[in-house]
Amino acid sequence: MIGTMRATLSQQDVESLLTDPSPANREQAAAKIATDYAGEVLSDEERELAEEIFHLMVQDAEVRVRQALSFNLKDFPGLSHEIAVVLASDIEAVSIP
């Protein structure tokens, strides 16, 4: 499923995540937030919020959540050094998207 999420995070996605924080919903949210962030469609305030979310998601126990972040942020040169280092230091499935 990695890489297939290209839509923007919606209010419905947020509600789904709040009511069912399953690995699949967290993966989908991670992919959408990362895609929006890398696509530079977010305001400065939204970008700051996305970075705060990334700091939480890079610690997620589910590999697929971290993979979704890594895959969708891999080509974005504006990614913070701290998040890039955490993803690059993760297990191979995450660090080599």
Coordinates of all heavy atoms in Angstrom, one line a residue:
M1 N 0.8 -1.2 0.0 CA 0.0 0.0 0.0 C 0.9 1.3 0.0 O 0.4 2.3 -0.3 CB -0.9 0.0 1.2 CG -1.9 1.1 1.3 SD -3.2 0.8 2.5 CE -4.4 1.9 1.9
I2 N 2.1 1.1 0.3 CA 3.0 2.3 0.4 C 3.0 3.0 -1.0 O 3.1 2.4 -2.0 CB 4.4 1.9 0.7 CG1 4.5 1.1 2.0 CG2 5.4 3.1 0.7 CD1 4.4 2.0 3.3
G3 N 2.9 4.3 -0.9 CA 2.9 5.1 -2.2 C 1.6 5.3 -2.9 O 1.6 6.0 -3.8
T4 N 0.6 4.6 -2.5 CA -0.7 4.7 -3.2 C -1.5 5.8 -2.7 O -2.5 6.2 -3.3 CB -1.5 3.4 -3.1 OG1 -1.8 3.1 -1.8 CG2 -0.7 2.2 -3.7
M5 N -1.2 6.4 -1.6 CA -2.0 7.5 -1.0 C -1.5 8.8 -1.6 O -0.4 9.2 -1.3 CB -1.8 7.5 0.5 CG -2.4 6.3 1.2 SD -4.1 6.2 1.0 CE -4.3 4.5 1.1
R6 N -2.3 9.5 -2.4 CA -1.9 10.7 -2.9 C -2.9 11.8 -2.7 O -2.8 12.9 -3.1 CB -1.7 10.6 -4.5 CG -0.5 9.7 -4.8 CD 0.8 10.4 -4.5 NE 1.9 9.6 -4.7 CZ 3.0 9.5 -4.0 NH1 3.0 10.2 -2.9 NH2 3.9 8.7 -4.3
A7 N -4.0 11.5 -1.9 CA -5.0 12.5 -1.6 C -4.6 13.3 -0.4 O -3.8 12.9 0.4 CB -6.3 11.8 -1.4
T8 N -5.3 14.5 -0.3 CA -5.1 15.3 0.9 C -5.8 14.8 2.1 O -6.9 14.2 2.0 CB -5.6 16.7 0.5 OG1 -4.8 17.2 -0.6 CG2 -5.4 17.7 1.7
L9 N -5.2 15.0 3.3 CA -5.9 14.6 4.5 C -7.2 15.3 4.6 O -7.2 16.6 4.5 CB -5.0 14.8 5.7 CG -5.4 14.3 7.0 CD1 -5.3 12.8 7.1 CD2 -4.6 14.9 8.1
S10 N -8.3 14.7 4.9 CA -9.6 15.3 5.0 C -10.1 15.2 6.5 O -9.5 14.5 7.3 CB -10.6 14.6 4.1 OG -10.8 13.3 4.6
Q11 N -11.1 16.0 6.7 CA -11.7 15.9 8.1 C -12.2 14.5 8.4 O -12.1 14.0 9.5 CB -12.9 16.9 8.1 CG -13.6 16.9 9.5 CD -12.6 17.4 10.6 OE1 -11.8 18.3 10.4 NE2 -12.8 16.9 11.8
Q12 N -12.7 13.8 7.4 CA -13.1 12.4 7.5 C -12.0 11.5 7.9 O -12.1 10.6 8.8 CB -13.8 11.9 6.3 CG -14.3 10.5 6.4 CD -15.0 10.0 5.1 OE1 -15.1 10.7 4.1 NE2 -15.6 8.8 5.2
D13 N -10.8 11.7 7.4 CA -9.6 11.0 7.7 C -9.3 11.2 9.2 O -9.0 10.2 9.9 CB -8.4 11.4 6.9 CG -8.6 11.0 5.4 OD1 -9.1 10.0 5.1 OD2 -8.1 11.8 4.6
V14 N -9.3 12.4 9.6 CA -9.0 12.8 11.0 C -10.0 12.1 12.0 O -9.7 11.5 13.0 CB -9.0 14.3 11.3 CG1 -8.9 14.6 12.7 CG2 -7.9 14.9 10.4
E15 N -11.3 12.1 11.6 CA -12.3 11.5 12.4 C -12.1 10.0 12.5 O -12.3 9.4 13.5 CB -13.7 11.9 11.9 CG -14.1 13.3 12.1 CD -15.3 13.8 11.4 OE1 -16.1 12.9 10.8 OE2 -15.6 15.0 11.4
S16 N -11.8 9.4 11.3 CA -11.5 7.9 11.3 C -10.3 7.6 12.2 O -10.4 6.6 12.9 CB -11.2 7.5 9.9 OG -12.4 7.6 9.1
L17 N -9.3 8.4 12.2 CA -8.1 8.2 13.0 C -8.5 8.3 14.5 O -8.0 7.5 15.3 CB -7.1 9.2 12.6 CG -5.7 9.0 13.2 CD1 -5.1 7.6 12.8 CD2 -4.7 10.1 12.7
L18 N -9.3 9.3 14.8 CA -9.7 9.4 16.2 C -10.6 8.3 16.7 O -10.4 7.8 17.9 CB -10.4 10.8 16.4 CG -9.6 12.0 16.3 CD1 -10.4 13.3 16.3 CD2 -8.5 12.1 17.3
T19 N -11.5 7.8 15.9 CA -12.4 6.7 16.3 C -11.7 5.3 16.2 O -12.1 4.4 16.9 CB -13.7 6.7 15.5 OG1 -13.4 6.6 14.1 CG2 -14.5 8.0 15.8
D20 N -10.8 5.2 15.2 CA -10.1 3.9 15.0 C -8.7 4.2 14.7 O -8.3 4.2 13.5 CB -10.8 3.2 13.9 CG -10.1 1.9 13.5 OD1 -9.4 1.3 14.4 OD2 -10.4 1.3 12.4
P21 N -7.8 4.3 15.7 CA -6.4 4.6 15.4 C -5.6 3.3 15.0 O -4.6 3.0 15.6 CB -5.9 5.1 16.7 CG -6.8 4.5 17.8 CD -8.1 4.3 17.1
S22 N -6.2 2.5 14.1 CA -5.6 1.3 13.7 C -4.3 1.6 12.9 O -4.1 2.7 12.4 CB -6.6 0.5 12.8 OG -6.8 1.2 11.6
P23 N -3.5 0.6 12.8 CA -2.3 0.8 12.0 C -2.6 1.2 10.5 O -1.9 2.1 10.0 CB -1.6 -0.6 12.0 CG -2.0 -1.2 13.3 CD -3.4 -0.7 13.5
A24 N -3.6 0.7 10.0 CA -4.0 1.1 8.6 C -4.4 2.5 8.5 O -4.0 3.3 7.6 CB -5.1 0.2 8.1
N25 N -5.2 3.0 9.5 CA -5.6 4.4 9.5 C -4.4 5.3 9.8 O -4.3 6.4 9.2 CB -6.7 4.6 10.5 CG -8.1 4.2 10.0 OD1 -8.2 4.0 8.8 ND2 -9.0 4.0 10.8
R26 N -3.5 4.9 10.7 CA -2.3 5.7 11.0 C -1.4 5.8 9.7 O -0.9 6.8 9.4 CB -1.6 5.2 12.2 CG -2.4 5.3 13.5 CD -1.6 5.1 14.7 NE -0.6 4.0 14.7 CZ -0.8 2.8 15.1 NH1 -2.0 2.3 15.4 NH2 0.2 1.9 15.1
E27 N -1.3 4.6 9.0 CA -0.5 4.6 7.8 C -1.1 5.6 6.8 O -0.3 6.4 6.1 CB -0.4 3.2 7.2 CG 0.3 3.1 5.9 CD 0.1 1.8 5.2 OE1 -0.7 1.0 5.7 OE2 0.9 1.5 4.3
Q28 N -2.4 5.5 6.6 CA -3.0 6.4 5.6 C -2.9 7.8 6.0 O -2.5 8.7 5.1 CB -4.5 6.0 5.5 CG -5.3 6.8 4.5 CD -6.7 6.4 4.4 OE1 -7.3 6.0 5.4 NE2 -7.3 6.6 3.2
A29 N -3.0 8.2 7.2 CA -2.8 9.6 7.7 C -1.4 10.0 7.5 O -1.2 11.1 7.0 CB -3.3 9.7 9.1
A30 N -0.5 9.1 7.8 CA 1.0 9.5 7.7 C 1.3 9.8 6.2 O 2.0 10.8 5.9 CB 1.8 8.3 8.2
A31 N 0.8 8.9 5.3 CA 1.0 9.1 3.9 C 0.4 10.4 3.4 O 1.1 11.2 2.6 CB 0.5 7.9 3.1
K32 N -0.8 10.7 3.8 CA -1.4 11.9 3.3 C -0.8 13.2 3.8 O -0.6 14.2 3.1 CB -2.9 11.9 3.6 CG -3.7 10.9 2.8 CD -5.2 10.9 3.1 CE -5.9 9.9 2.2 NZ -7.4 10.0 2.4
I33 N -0.5 13.2 5.1 CA 0.2 14.4 5.7 C 1.6 14.6 5.1 O 1.9 15.7 4.7 CB 0.3 14.2 7.2 CG1 -1.1 14.2 7.9 CG2 1.1 15.4 7.8 CD1 -1.0 13.7 9.4
A34 N 2.3 13.5 4.9 CA 3.6 13.6 4.3 C 3.5 14.1 2.8 O 4.3 14.9 2.4 CB 4.4 12.3 4.3
T35 N 2.5 13.6 2.1 CA 2.3 14.0 0.7 C 2.0 15.5 0.6 O 2.6 16.2 -0.2 CB 1.2 13.2 0.0 OG1 1.6 11.8 0.0 CG2 1.0 13.6 -1.4
D36 N 1.1 16.0 1.5 CA 0.8 17.4 1.5 C 2.0 18.2 1.9 O 2.3 19.3 1.3 CB -0.3 17.7 2.6 CG -1.7 17.2 2.1 OD1 -1.8 16.8 0.9 OD2 -2.6 17.1 3.0
Y37 N 2.8 17.8 2.9 CA 4.0 18.5 3.3 C 5.0 18.6 2.2 O 5.5 19.7 1.9 CB 4.5 17.7 4.5 CG 5.7 18.4 5.2 CD1 5.6 19.4 6.1 CD2 7.0 18.0 4.9 CE1 6.7 19.9 6.8 CE2 8.1 18.5 5.5 CZ 7.9 19.5 6.4 OH 9.0 20.1 7.0
A38 N 5.3 17.5 1.6 CA 6.3 17.4 0.5 C 5.8 18.2 -0.7 O 6.6 18.7 -1.5 CB 6.6 16.0 0.2
G39 N 4.4 18.2 -0.9 CA 3.9 18.9 -2.1 C 3.8 20.4 -1.9 O 3.4 21.2 -2.7
E40 N 4.2 20.9 -0.7 CA 4.3 22.3 -0.4 C 3.0 23.0 -0.6 O 2.9 24.1 -1.0 CB 5.4 23.0 -1.2 CG 6.8 22.4 -0.9 CD 7.9 23.1 -1.5 OE1 8.0 24.4 -1.3 OE2 8.8 22.5 -2.2
V41 N 1.9 22.3 -0.2 CA 0.5 22.9 -0.3 C 0.0 23.4 1.1 O -1.1 24.0 1.1 CB -0.5 21.9 -0.8 CG1 -0.1 21.5 -2.3 CG2 -0.6 20.7 0.1
L42 N 0.9 23.3 2.1 CA 0.5 23.7 3.4 C 0.9 25.1 3.8 O 2.0 25.5 3.3 CB 1.0 22.7 4.5 CG 0.7 21.2 4.3 CD1 1.4 20.4 5.4 CD2 -0.8 21.0 4.4
S43 N 0.1 25.8 4.6 CA 0.5 27.1 5.1 C 1.7 26.9 6.1 O 2.0 25.7 6.5 CB -0.6 27.7 5.8 OG -0.9 27.0 7.0
D44 N 2.3 27.9 6.5 CA 3.4 27.8 7.5 C 2.9 27.2 8.8 O 3.6 26.3 9.4 CB 4.0 29.2 7.8 CG 4.8 29.7 6.6 OD1 5.2 29.0 5.7 OD2 5.0 31.0 6.6
E45 N 1.8 27.6 9.2 CA 1.2 27.0 10.5 C 0.9 25.5 10.3 O 1.2 24.7 11.2 CB -0.1 27.7 10.8 CG -0.7 27.3 12.2 CD -1.9 28.1 12.5 OE1 -1.9 29.3 12.4 OE2 -2.9 27.5 12.9
E46 N 0.4 25.1 9.2 CA 0.1 23.7 8.9 C 1.4 22.9 8.8 O 1.4 21.8 9.2 CB -0.7 23.6 7.6 CG -2.2 24.1 7.7 CD -2.9 24.2 6.4 OE1 -2.2 24.5 5.3 OE2 -4.1 24.1 6.4
R47 N 2.4 23.5 8.2 CA 3.7 22.8 8.1 C 4.3 22.5 9.5 O 4.8 21.5 9.7 CB 4.7 23.6 7.2 CG 4.3 23.7 5.8 CD 5.3 24.5 5.0 NE 6.6 23.9 4.9 CZ 6.8 22.7 4.2 NH1 5.8 22.1 3.5 NH2 8.0 22.2 4.2
E48 N 4.2 23.5 10.4 CA 4.7 23.3 11.7 C 3.9 22.2 12.4 O 4.5 21.4 13.1 CB 4.5 24.6 12.5 CG 5.5 25.7 12.1 CD 5.4 27.0 12.9 OE1 4.8 26.9 14.1 OE2 5.7 28.0 12.4
L49 N 2.6 22.2 12.2 CA 1.8 21.1 12.8 C 2.1 19.7 12.2 O 2.3 18.7 12.9 CB 0.3 21.4 12.6 CG -0.7 20.4 13.2 CD1 -0.5 20.2 14.7 CD2 -2.1 20.8 12.9
A50 N 2.4 19.7 10.9 CA 2.8 18.5 10.2 C 4.1 18.0 10.8 O 4.2 16.8 11.1 CB 2.9 18.6 8.7
E51 N 5.0 18.9 11.1 CA 6.3 18.5 11.6 C 6.2 17.9 13.0 O 6.8 16.9 13.4 CB 7.3 19.6 11.6 CG 7.8 19.9 10.2 CD 8.7 21.1 10.1 OE1 9.1 21.7 11.2 OE2 9.0 21.5 9.0
E52 N 5.2 18.5 13.8 CA 5.0 18.0 15.2 C 4.4 16.5 15.1 O 4.8 15.6 15.8 CB 4.0 18.9 15.9 CG 4.6 20.2 16.3 CD 3.6 21.1 17.0 OE1 2.7 20.6 17.7 OE2 3.8 22.3 16.9
I53 N 3.5 16.3 14.1 CA 2.9 15.0 13.9 C 4.0 14.0 13.4 O 4.1 12.9 13.9 CB 1.8 15.1 12.8 CG1 0.6 15.9 13.4 CG2 1.4 13.7 12.4 CD1 -0.4 16.3 12.4
F54 N 4.9 14.5 12.6 CA 6.0 13.6 12.1 C 6.9 13.1 13.3 O 7.3 12.0 13.4 CB 6.9 14.3 11.1 CG 6.3 14.6 9.8 CD1 6.8 15.6 9.0 CD2 5.1 13.9 9.3 CE1 6.2 15.9 7.8 CE2 4.5 14.2 8.1 CZ 5.1 15.3 7.4
H55 N 7.1 14.1 14.2 CA 7.9 13.7 15.4 C 7.3 12.6 16.2 O 8.0 11.7 16.8 CB 8.2 14.9 16.3 CG 9.2 15.9 15.8 ND1 10.6 15.6 15.9 CD2 9.1 17.0 15.1 CE1 11.2 16.6 15.3 NE2 10.4 17.5 14.8
L56 N 6.0 12.6 16.2 CA 5.2 11.5 16.9 C 5.2 10.2 16.1 O 5.5 9.1 16.6 CB 3.8 11.9 17.2 CG 3.6 13.1 18.2 CD1 2.1 13.5 18.2 CD2 4.1 12.7 19.6
M57 N 5.0 10.4 14.8 CA 4.8 9.2 13.9 C 6.1 8.5 13.7 O 6.1 7.3 13.4 CB 4.2 9.6 12.6 CG 2.7 9.9 12.8 SD 1.9 10.2 11.2 CE 0.3 9.7 11.6
V58 N 7.3 9.1 13.7 CA 8.6 8.4 13.5 C 8.8 7.5 14.7 O 9.7 6.6 14.6 CB 9.8 9.4 13.3 CG1 9.6 10.1 12.0 CG2 10.0 10.3 14.5
Q59 N 8.1 7.6 15.8 CA 8.2 6.7 16.9 C 7.2 5.6 17.0 O 7.1 4.8 17.9 CB 8.2 7.6 18.2 CG 9.3 8.6 18.3 CD 9.1 9.5 19.5 OE1 8.7 9.0 20.6 NE2 9.4 10.7 19.3
D60 N 6.3 5.6 16.0 CA 5.2 4.7 15.9 C 5.7 3.2 15.9 O 6.7 3.0 15.2 CB 4.3 4.9 14.7 CG 3.0 4.2 14.8 OD1 2.9 3.0 14.8 OD2 2.0 5.0 14.8
A61 N 5.1 2.4 16.7 CA 5.6 1.0 16.8 C 5.4 0.2 15.4 O 6.1 -0.7 15.1 CB 4.8 0.2 17.9
E62 N 4.4 0.7 14.7 CA 4.1 0.0 13.4 C 5.1 0.4 12.3 O 5.1 1.6 12.0 CB 2.7 0.3 12.9 CG 1.6 -0.4 13.7 CD 1.6 -1.9 13.5 OE1 1.9 -2.4 12.4 OE2 1.3 -2.6 14.4
V63 N 5.8 -0.5 11.7 CA 6.7 -0.2 10.7 C 6.0 0.4 9.5 O 6.5 1.4 8.9 CB 7.4 -1.5 10.2 CG1 8.3 -1.3 8.9 CG2 8.3 -2.0 11.3
R64 N 4.8 0.0 9.2 CA 4.1 0.5 8.0 C 3.8 2.0 8.1 O 3.8 2.7 7.1 CB 2.9 -0.3 7.7 CG 1.8 -0.2 8.8 CD 0.8 -1.3 8.7 NE -0.3 -0.9 7.9 CZ -1.4 -1.7 7.7 NH1 -1.4 -2.9 8.2 NH2 -2.4 -1.3 7.0
V65 N 3.7 2.5 9.3 CA 3.4 4.0 9.5 C 4.7 4.7 9.2 O 4.7 5.7 8.5 CB 2.9 4.2 10.9 CG1 2.9 5.7 11.2 CG2 1.6 3.6 11.2
R66 N 5.8 4.2 9.7 CA 7.1 4.9 9.5 C 7.5 4.7 8.0 O 8.1 5.7 7.4 CB 8.2 4.3 10.4 CG 7.8 4.5 11.9 CD 8.9 4.1 12.9 NE 9.7 2.9 12.6 CZ 9.4 1.7 13.0 NH1 8.2 1.5 13.7 NH2 10.2 0.7 12.7
Q67 N 7.2 3.6 7.4 CA 7.5 3.4 6.0 C 6.7 4.5 5.1 O 7.2 5.0 4.2 CB 7.0 2.0 5.5 CG 8.0 1.0 5.8 CD 7.5 -0.4 5.4 OE1 6.3 -0.7 5.6 NE2 8.3 -1.1 4.7
A68 N 5.4 4.7 5.5 CA 4.6 5.7 4.7 C 5.2 7.1 4.8 O 5.3 7.8 3.8 CB 3.2 5.7 5.3
L69 N 5.7 7.4 6.0 CA 6.4 8.7 6.1 C 7.7 8.8 5.3 O 7.9 9.7 4.5 CB 6.8 9.0 7.6 CG 5.7 9.4 8.6 CD1 6.4 9.6 9.9 CD2 5.1 10.7 8.1
S70 N 8.5 7.8 5.4 CA 9.7 7.7 4.7 C 9.5 7.7 3.2 O 10.2 8.5 2.4 CB 10.5 6.4 5.1 OG 11.8 6.4 4.4
F71 N 8.6 6.9 2.7 CA 8.4 6.9 1.2 C 7.9 8.2 0.7 O 8.3 8.7 -0.4 CB 7.3 5.8 0.9 CG 7.1 5.6 -0.5 CD1 7.9 4.9 -1.3 CD2 6.0 6.3 -1.1 CE1 7.7 4.8 -2.7 CE2 5.8 6.2 -2.5 CZ 6.6 5.4 -3.3
N72 N 7.0 8.8 1.4 CA 6.3 10.1 0.9 C 7.2 11.3 1.1 O 6.9 12.4 0.6 CB 4.9 10.2 1.5 CG 4.0 9.2 0.9 OD1 3.6 9.4 -0.2 ND2 3.6 8.2 1.6
L73 N 8.2 11.2 2.0 CA 9.1 12.3 2.2 C 10.5 12.2 1.6 O 11.3 13.1 1.7 CB 9.2 12.6 3.7 CG 8.0 13.0 4.5 CD1 8.2 12.9 6.0 CD2 7.5 14.4 4.1
K74 N 10.7 11.1 1.0 CA 12.1 10.7 0.6 C 12.7 11.7 -0.4 O 13.9 11.9 -0.4 CB 12.1 9.3 0.0 CG 11.4 9.2 -1.4 CD 11.5 7.8 -1.9 CE 10.6 7.7 -3.1 NZ 10.6 6.3 -3.6
D75 N 11.9 12.3 -1.3 CA 12.5 13.2 -2.3 C 12.3 14.7 -1.9 O 12.6 15.6 -2.7 CB 11.9 13.0 -3.6 CG 12.2 11.6 -4.2 OD1 13.4 11.1 -3.9 OD2 11.3 10.9 -4.8
F76 N 11.9 15.0 -0.7 CA 11.6 16.4 -0.3 C 12.8 17.0 0.3 O 13.2 16.6 1.4 CB 10.4 16.5 0.6 CG 10.0 17.9 1.0 CD1 9.7 18.8 0.1 CD2 10.1 18.3 2.3 CE1 9.3 20.1 0.4 CE2 9.7 19.5 2.7 CZ 9.4 20.5 1.7
P77 N 13.5 18.0 -0.3 CA 14.7 18.5 0.2 C 14.5 19.4 1.4 O 15.4 19.7 2.2 CB 15.2 19.4 -0.9 CG 14.0 19.7 -1.8 CD 13.1 18.5 -1.6
G78 N 13.2 19.8 1.7 CA 13.0 20.7 2.8 C 12.7 20.0 4.1 O 12.3 20.6 5.1
L79 N 12.8 18.7 4.1 CA 12.5 17.9 5.3 C 13.5 18.3 6.4 O 14.7 18.4 6.2 CB 12.6 16.4 5.0 CG 12.3 15.4 6.2 CD1 10.9 15.6 6.7 CD2 12.6 14.0 5.8
S80 N 13.0 18.4 7.7 CA 14.0 18.8 8.7 C 15.0 17.7 8.9 O 14.8 16.5 8.7 CB 13.2 19.0 10.1 OG 12.9 17.8 10.7
H81 N 16.2 18.1 9.2 CA 17.3 17.2 9.4 C 17.0 16.2 10.5 O 17.3 15.0 10.3 CB 18.6 18.0 9.8 CG 19.8 17.2 10.0 ND1 20.5 16.6 9.0 CD2 20.4 16.8 11.2 CE1 21.5 15.9 9.5 NE2 21.5 16.0 10.8
E82 N 16.4 16.6 11.6 CA 16.1 15.7 12.7 C 15.2 14.6 12.2 O 15.5 13.4 12.6 CB 15.4 16.5 13.8 CG 15.2 15.6 15.0 CD 14.5 16.4 16.1 OE1 14.4 17.7 16.1 OE2 14.0 15.8 17.1
I83 N 14.2 14.9 11.5 CA 13.2 13.8 11.1 C 13.9 12.9 10.0 O 13.8 11.7 10.1 CB 11.9 14.4 10.5 CG1 11.2 15.1 11.6 CG2 11.1 13.3 9.8 CD1 10.0 16.0 11.1
A84 N 14.7 13.5 9.1 CA 15.5 12.7 8.2 C 16.4 11.7 8.8 O 16.5 10.6 8.4 CB 16.2 13.7 7.2
V85 N 17.1 12.2 9.8 CA 18.1 11.3 10.5 C 17.3 10.2 11.2 O 17.8 9.0 11.2 CB 18.9 12.1 11.6 CG1 19.7 11.2 12.5 CG2 19.9 13.1 10.8
V86 N 16.2 10.5 11.9 CA 15.5 9.4 12.6 C 15.0 8.4 11.6 O 15.2 7.2 11.8 CB 14.3 10.0 13.3 CG1 13.4 8.9 13.9 CG2 14.7 10.9 14.5
L87 N 14.5 8.8 10.4 CA 14.0 7.8 9.4 C 15.2 7.1 8.8 O 15.1 5.9 8.6 CB 13.2 8.6 8.3 CG 11.9 9.1 8.7 CD1 11.3 10.0 7.7 CD2 10.9 8.0 9.1
A88 N 16.3 7.7 8.6 CA 17.5 7.1 8.0 C 18.1 6.1 8.9 O 18.8 5.1 8.5 CB 18.5 8.1 7.5
S89 N 17.9 6.3 10.2 CA 18.5 5.4 11.2 C 17.6 4.3 11.6 O 17.9 3.4 12.4 CB 18.8 6.2 12.5 OG 19.7 7.3 12.2
D90 N 16.4 4.2 11.0 CA 15.4 3.2 11.4 C 15.8 1.9 10.7 O 16.9 1.8 10.0 CB 14.0 3.7 10.8 CG 12.9 3.0 11.6 OD1 13.0 1.9 12.0 OD2 11.9 3.7 11.8
I91 N 15.0 0.9 10.8 CA 15.3 -0.4 10.2 C 15.3 -0.2 8.7 O 14.8 0.8 8.1 CB 14.3 -1.5 10.6 CG1 12.8 -1.1 10.2 CG2 14.3 -1.7 12.1 CD1 11.8 -2.2 10.4
E92 N 15.9 -1.2 8.0 CA 16.1 -1.1 6.5 C 14.7 -0.8 5.8 O 14.7 -0.1 4.8 CB 16.7 -2.3 6.0 CG 17.1 -2.2 4.5 CD 17.9 -3.5 4.1 OE1 19.0 -3.7 4.7 OE2 17.5 -4.2 3.2
A93 N 13.7 -1.4 6.2 CA 12.4 -1.3 5.5 C 11.9 0.2 5.5 O 11.2 0.6 4.7 CB 11.3 -2.2 6.1
V94 N 12.4 0.9 6.5 CA 12.0 2.3 6.6 C 13.1 3.2 6.0 O 12.8 4.2 5.3 CB 11.7 2.7 8.1 CG1 11.5 4.2 8.3 CG2 10.6 1.9 8.7
S95 N 14.3 2.9 6.3 CA 15.4 3.8 5.9 C 15.7 3.8 4.4 O 16.3 4.7 3.9 CB 16.7 3.5 6.7 OG 17.2 2.2 6.4
I96 N 15.3 2.7 3.8 CA 15.6 2.6 2.3 C 14.3 2.4 1.6 O 13.9 1.3 1.2 CB 16.5 1.4 2.0 CG1 17.8 1.5 2.8 CG2 16.8 1.3 0.5 CD1 18.7 0.3 2.7
P97 N 13.6 3.6 1.4 CA 12.2 3.5 0.7 C 12.4 3.2 -0.8 O 13.3 3.5 -1.4 CB 11.6 4.8 1.0 CG 12.7 5.8 1.3 CD 13.8 4.9 1.8

